[in-house]
Amino acid sequence: MAIYVVLAYSVFCAVPFGLALSILARRRRVQRQLAALHEEH
Amino acid sequence: MRAKLADFGLPVLSVIVFLAASGMVFLYAPREVTMGDVQRIFYFHVASAWVGFFGFLVTFCGSAVYLARGAHGARAWDILALASAEVGLAFITMTVLTGMLWAKPVWGVYWIWEPRLTISAVQWLLYVAYVMLRGSLDNPERGARFAAVYGIAAFMTVPLSWFAIRWWRTIHPQLFSGGEMAITPPMLATLLVSLIAFTVLYMALLRARMQLERERDHLAAARAAKE
């Protein structure tokens, strides 16, 4: 029984953390591209 | 300065409230007599479902305003709709996965094709399609208009899911029955704190996702100016 609770709370931690990491990674990529574009000017 | 504080403050606050809610779930809420410890999944499961539904409601409102105002000057509403759909989808994904983990020890199976679960599966697929659609359309303006219509239509799954356990014969538990709640006051307090934790988490993720979309717009404008 306890294993299902542990698994469920792992999901509750992993999904928002994963989404936050994914958003951060995408923002970094866009910011790098913006910086590269400004450097070209 | 205020923006920097919110950038840092909202994620930190969401972690603090999330830890407080976890403490209440495991240390304060009483052990349920019939289901035992597996019932503790319920607090975050219900909170993530309600916040996911709220996320889809925000998408519905953002889409409606975008369509009402026309494409010009309404990009902010389109960004809100898109960001809220993606964050709402994450919350509904948690709801579906943890519902399955609760169902196995209680019902004996991970999944049953009963009305509430079937509508949840359809809803999850509809919003996965919405997010994929947003990433694949070439014409941004036409894509945003199409996504707004889709966002309004897909929202119909939220009231359907809410009323499914009231309209049809189902084995899914009901929290509200005949105007009364089927939980004790300490359980209700734990549920409310969990709901606050997931709402703050939703706001932090929504803000970050909207910033990403604005930065993408800046990049597209900078590229267009260069050409």
Side-chain angles (χ1 to χ4, degrees), chain B residues 54 78 90 114 207 224:
Chain B
F54 178 73
D78 179 44
E114 58 93 56
R207 187 181 152 78

Side-chain angles (χ1 to χ4, degrees), chain A residues 24-37:
Chain A
L24 269 179
R26 283 181 282 172
R27 281 187 70 185
R28 288 249 167 89
R29 198 167 60 222
V30 172
Q31 283 164 357
R32 268 203 303 271
Q33 287 171 332
L34 258 172
L37 211 63

